[in-house]
Amino acid sequence: MSKTKAWIHAFRLRTLPLSLSSIILGSLVAASDNKFSSDIFILAILTTLFLQILSNLANDLGDSISGADNNERIGPERAIQSGIISKKEMKNMLYVFIMLSLVSGSFLIYKAAQVITLQQALIIFAIGILAILAAINYTIGKNPYGYMGFGDLFVFIFFGLVGTLGSYFLHTGYLQWDILLPAASIGLLSTGVLNLNNLRDIENDSQTGKKTLVVKIGSKAAKNYHLIILALAMLFAILYSLLNYASIYQFIYLLTFPLILRNIKIVLTNKNPRDLDPELKILALSCFFFSLSFGLGTLL
């Protein structure tokens, strides 16, 4: 593998559609309220992509330092683990994406200045800094929260609530309480992807001291947890549509539910953690298509 391909591999492109789900949904719901800016949408997409890649690179570095990346790990080989990219090179690339995230995020806030106040802009900027820190500290630092079982909570907050509510707010300049429902749906589906990842890696994580929520509660409880969070994700979406009913087209996202239900069944009946690896991509894409169809449904 060439170094260029190794870097592309390190960016983990298959995770990017999941990170965009909240931005797409929040932006399309804002468009249904006749509040949409193409500049804000593009900059929000760019900022989110930079943050996701930053998180992926930090995860590669952190798991390499801790020893979680080893020959026993299930899933694609990591960049540092392969030996093609050094830890120093990875650290330098982290700085690059921190700067890209800051620059893109700053332009995003500047463009939103037409509909938000200076105080609100400062709050959004602070949240952006927290997002950068969260991306890095998942597996890096003295007490990485991903190694203490808090990864699920942070994914729910940043992939769901912050991404959806934040993008909606930047377009509109205001928030409505019921947007919490689809925001929670995206957050729970994203958390389901992380739970799948941790179910797949439960044996290696437990041996290397990576105390994910799955390691803490055990495989059986984690499977029931998976059922609950994905069921709630579907329930919250339906509740929002009922509260804001205007057309039957709002329910086109129901077409994605068979994929989600299939995922639940596979997880509940799984015997070999290795078999869960392909389900990560399928659930991530299910979340992406859910956000797209949900958002488009509000426009029809």
Side-chain angles (χ1 to χ4, degrees):
M1 185 187 299
S2 68
K3 181 152 288 192
T4 300
K5 288 184 178 180
W7 277 119
I8 294 174
H9 183 70
F11 292 166
R12 293 167 65 189
L13 300 183
R14 71 174 184 170
T15 67
L16 301 186
L18 179 66
S19 66
L20 298 180
S21 298
S22 60
I23 306 301
I24 290 172
L25 190 147
S27 297
L28 290 177
V29 174
S32 71
D33 292 340
N34 297 314
K35 303 282 187 179
F36 181 84
S37 165
S38 57
D39 288 341
I40 287 176
F41 179 68
I42 292 170
L43 285 168
I45 290 289
L46 282 175
T47 303
T48 302
L49 287 175
F50 292 150
L51 285 170
Q52 181 60 52
I53 293 174
L54 173 63
S55 177
N56 291 341
L57 297 177
N59 189 246
D60 195 306
L61 178 61
D63 281 349
S64 173
I65 294 172
S66 70
D69 279 347
N70 54 54
N71 294 331
E72 300 301 319
R73 179 182 171 274
I74 304 171
E77 186 179 45
R78 298 289 185 83
I80 296 177
Q81 182 187 11
S82 70
I84 299 174
I85 295 173
S86 69
K87 291 179 183 178
K88 182 178 180 181
E89 289 174 321
M90 186 63 75
K91 288 179 182 178
N92 290 335
M93 190 61 77
L94 285 179
Y95 295 135
V96 169
F97 276 92
I98 288 173
M99 290 305 301
L100 288 172
S101 300
L102 284 171
V103 171
S104 179
S106 297
F107 274 110
L108 172 60
I109 295 171
Y110 173 76
K111 284 294 183 180
Q114 299 177 31
V115 294
I116 65 175
T117 66
L118 176 60
Q119 183 180 14
Q120 290 170 335
L122 291 174
I123 292 173
I124 294 294
F125 184 78
I127 293 174
I129 296 297
L130 289 175
I132 291 174
L133 293 175
I136 296 171
N137 292 331
Y138 178 64
T139 57
I140 292 179
K142 293 182 179 179
N143 297 294
Y145 64 87
Y147 282 36
M148 298 187 292
F150 294 114
D152 297 59
L153 176 61
F154 277 78
V155 164
F156 176 76
I157 291 173
F158 285 99
F159 278 67
L161 303 187
V162 171
T164 306
L165 298 176
S167 56
Y168 180 86
F169 180 75
L170 289 171
H171 284 289
T172 64
Y174 57 82
L175 288 175
Q176 300 183 123
W177 75 267
D178 54 359
I179 305 298
L180 279 168
L181 292 169
S185 293
I186 294 294
L188 290 168
L189 289 171
S190 300
T191 303
V193 175
L194 177 63
N195 189 57
L196 258 181
N197 181 84
N198 293 338
L199 274 166
R200 181 198 67 184
D201 294 339
I202 182 171
E203 294 181 10
N204 188 59
D205 286 346
S206 61
Q207 291 172 4
T208 57
K210 189 175 182 179
K211 298 179 180 179
T212 63
L213 182 62
V214 173
V215 171
K216 286 188 172 185
I217 66 177
S219 180
K220 183 178 180 180
K223 290 179 180 180
N224 292 330
Y225 165 69
H226 196 77
L227 164 64
I228 292 170
I229 60 176
L230 295 195
L232 285 175
M234 293 185 285
L235 177 62
F236 288 155
I238 293 172
L239 181 57
Y240 176 87
S241 298
L242 293 175
L243 290 173
N244 296 275
Y245 181 78
S247 165
I248 192 65
Y249 295 112
Q250 288 175 244
F251 290 94
I252 59 172
Y253 62 84
L254 293 176
L255 294 174
T256 65
F257 281 13
L259 290 173
I260 298 172
L261 292 170
R262 170 189 170 278
N263 181 265
I264 292 173
K265 180 181 178 181
I266 288 175
V267 169
L268 291 178
T269 58
N270 175 259
K271 302 296 183 182
N272 183 359
R274 292 179 179 272
D275 295 337
L276 295 176
D277 188 59
E279 298 305 315
L280 286 165
K281 181 179 181 180
I282 295 173
L283 184 57
L285 288 175
S286 299
C287 180
F288 176 79
F289 289 124
F290 165 81
S291 69
L292 188 60
S293 57
F294 187 99
L296 290 174
T298 63
L299 293 171
L300 297 177

